[in-house]
């Protein structure tokens, strides 16, 4: 859970006043914004939003959007939203950006618990006055549509029970479908969008034991069409989400021209959940601390803010 705490106990009203002060004059005081918001947990941030609106009759998030810009603004904006609302925004942006970002829809809907995903669907209704399912369906076609709509509308069972015989049967179905490439997509979609995560992990393990290769490695060998890419994301997120996030961060940092959207998404969404574990996996995999790699790739207030969320204050 969150390690972000107040260093000096202040009230939401005091924080709101300090932020208002930071907005005065030419250019806002990025350092002050980071010092306050980067050290407040999700509950405290929502209290600051309420206090700011009560005192100044102004929406704090809109004020922040007008005061700061670029990657810094996007990161602070997403950090200030409640988690379900933030995920709704991320999914909406991914839908609008098309196939290259469909993995974000798969990532969010596969990692969240059933109740968390239900809250995201509700937040999406409130924000966009449409359902998430209808927006996903309107922008996709064929098997990709079936898979993504199935993922965002699922409500998986979350018990620990495993049906060993079912795991064997469905590992075989997955194997046959991947082997034949285009055969039986409906069955793959049914399995991945309805089974519990515990059952699916058992199925993926069975696949590896039977065929001597993980299902994700087998998929990498396939044609990299949009359906297979989303399939790959779903399986990785269900199998080992922390390892998946480490790879997203590694790819975001190592690619030519840093992928700030990927970097921001993972750090902002996981900072109050499992970022500490993801950082450890990153160090084991890369023999360098995530903070040190991030420091070399980004700059300015955006860098200071991201490093603050990573627990390294400059």
């Amino acid at each position: 859970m969150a390690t972000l705490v107040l260093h000096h106990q202040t009230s939401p009203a005091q924080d709101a006043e300090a932020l208002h002060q930071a907005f005065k004059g030419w250019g806002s005081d990025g350092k002050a914004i980071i010092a306050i918001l980067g050290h407040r947990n999700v509950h405290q941030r929502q209290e600051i939003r309420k206090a700011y609106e009560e005192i100044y009759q102004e929406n704090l998030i809109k004020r922040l959007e007008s005061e700061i810009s670029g990657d810094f603004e996007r990161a602070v904006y997403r950090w200030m939203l409640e988690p379900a609302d933030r995920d709704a925004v991320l999914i909406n942006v991914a839908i609008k950006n098309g196939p290259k970002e469909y993995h974000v829809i798969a990532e969010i809907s596969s990692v969240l618990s059933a109740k968390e995903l239900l809250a995201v669907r509700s937040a999406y209704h409130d924000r966009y006055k449409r359902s998430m399912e209808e927006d996903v369906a309107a922008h996709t076609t064929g098997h990709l549509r079936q898979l993504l709509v199935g993922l965002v509308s699922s409500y998986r069972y979350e018990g620990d029970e495993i049906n060993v015989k079912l795991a064997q049967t469905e590992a075989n179905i997955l194997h046959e479908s991947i082997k034949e490439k285009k055969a039986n997509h409906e069955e793959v979609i049914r399995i991945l969008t309805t089974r519990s995560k515990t059952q699916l992990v058992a199925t993926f393990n069975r696949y590896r034991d039977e065929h001597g290769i993980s299902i994700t490695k087998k998929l990498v060998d396939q044609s990299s069409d949009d359906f297979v890419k989303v399939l790959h994301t779903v399986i990785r997120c269900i199998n080992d989400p922390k390892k998946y996030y480490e790879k997203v961060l590694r790819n975001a940092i190592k690619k030519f021209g840093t992928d700030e959207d990927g970097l921001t998404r993972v750090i902002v969404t996981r900072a109050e959940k499992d970022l500490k574990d993801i950082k450890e996996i990153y160090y084991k995999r890369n023999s360098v601390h995530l903070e040190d790699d991030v420091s070399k790739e980004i700059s300015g207030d955006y860098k200071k803010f991201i490093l603050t969320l990573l627990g390294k204050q400059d």
Side-chain angles (χ1 to χ4, degrees), residues 97-208:
N97 287 342
K100 70 179 187 294
E101 285 201 17
Y102 287 163
H103 66 279
V104 176
I105 304 169
E107 170 191 305
I108 293 168
S109 53
S110 300
V111 168
L112 296 181
S113 70
K115 284 183 180 175
E116 286 170 335
L117 184 55
L118 189 61
V120 174
R121 292 210 293 274
S122 177
Y124 200 99
H125 288 176
D126 293 343
R127 183 175 272 271
Y128 300 109
K129 312 307 175 195
R130 298 183 303 277
S131 79
M132 202 155 70
E133 298 91 320
E134 70 179 302
D135 276 1
V136 169
H139 287 78
T140 52
T141 57
H143 289 120
L144 182 60
R145 173 193 280 168
Q146 289 173 23
L147 177 57
L148 287 172
V149 170
L151 288 169
V152 299
S153 58
S154 69
Y155 194 89
R156 299 179 193 275
Y157 174 63
E158 294 186 335
D160 293 329
E161 295 86 349
I162 294 171
N163 183 324
V164 177
K165 192 175 177 183
L166 187 66
Q168 175 71 64
T169 303
E170 296 192 336
N172 290 339
I173 292 170
L174 292 174
H175 176 68
E176 288 303 312
S177 180
I178 291 167
K179 192 171 72 173
E180 299 299 327
K181 294 191 179 177
K182 290 188 179 174
N184 235 359
H185 277 346
E186 281 83 3
E187 280 293 89
V188 173
I189 293 164
R190 176 187 63 78
I191 292 164
L192 290 180
T193 59
T194 63
R195 297 297 183 208
S196 75
K197 291 178 185 178
T198 307
Q199 181 67 37
L200 284 171
V201 170
T203 300
F204 302 152
N205 288 341
R206 191 75 223 137
Y207 184 103
R208 189 190 60 233

Side-chain angles (χ1 to χ4, degrees), residues 274-291:
D274 51 11
L275 188 56
K276 185 171 177 286
D277 297 335
I278 295 164
K279 282 163 61 177
E280 285 172 11
I281 295 166
Y282 190 94
Y283 183 73
K284 283 177 188 170
R285 174 69 176 71
N286 304 284
S287 303
V288 60
H289 291 292
L290 177 59
E291 297 92 322

Side-chain angles (χ1 to χ4, degrees), residues 7 13 21 36 59 90 110 118 134 138 143 156 160 236 249 254 259 267 297 310-311:
H7 292 289
Q21 195 64 36
I36 298 164
N59 183 300
L90 289 169
S110 300
L118 189 61
E134 70 179 302
H143 289 120
R156 299 179 193 275
D160 293 329
R236 293 206 69 214
L249 289 171
K254 306 289 183 191
D259 172 15
I267 291 173
E297 296 298 325
L310 282 168

